[in-house]
Amino acid sequence: MPDTARRVNVSLTFATDVLPHHALMRVTACLPDEYSVRLESTSVHAFDLAEDDADEPCVQLVVDATAGLLKAYVDNPQRAEEFATHTGAVVDELPITADHRGEATA
């Protein structure tokens, strides 16, 4: 690796059940001594990486690179994929966190 006089920032993101400061100590302990690592800042975010959300309803957005949003489906991934296949678009699926449709019609 070429030497540089500039500051270099390295960010790591990984999922672990270990407390953040323990994980940081484990990572820095693996670095060779010639890497004079000085901790500039830390940031910890908790999130769930579980991918078994098939039971949760989602919105499928059918998006084209040039035309943008073509169509939106509510919890109908098969129709979204079918439409995207015919139009050359892609499907982006977003979870539904709240449903206010009943409140909006009052």
Side-chain angles (χ1 to χ4, degrees):
M1 184 171 107
D3 291 334
T4 179
R6 295 174 289 178
R7 300 294 302 217
V8 177
N9 178 50
V10 177
S11 299
L12 301 173
T13 302
F14 56 94
T16 180
D17 293 331
V18 178
L19 292 173
H21 63 281
H22 291 178
L24 184 59
M25 288 186 328
R26 288 182 184 179
V27 169
T28 55
C30 295
L31 295 172
D33 290 338
E34 62 265 14
Y35 289 97
S36 58
V37 176
R38 192 175 94 225
L39 185 63
E40 295 287 334
S41 67
T42 60
S43 178
V44 177
H45 306 279
F47 49 89
D48 186 5
L49 291 177
E51 295 187 18
D52 58 348
D53 297 338
D55 297 350
E56 295 181 18
C58 291
V59 172
Q60 292 80 28
L61 302 176
V62 181
V63 182
D64 180 70
T66 55
L69 179 63
L70 297 179
K71 213 163 204 177
Y73 293 88
V74 177
D75 207 22
N76 199 343
Q78 295 82 11
R79 291 284 309 270
E81 284 294 335
E82 182 181 312
F83 184 79
T85 301
H86 292 333
T87 59
V90 295
V91 176
D92 189 14
E93 191 168 75
L94 305 171
I96 297 174
T97 57
D99 186 355
H100 300 287
R101 288 178 289 181
E103 297 172 16
T105 58

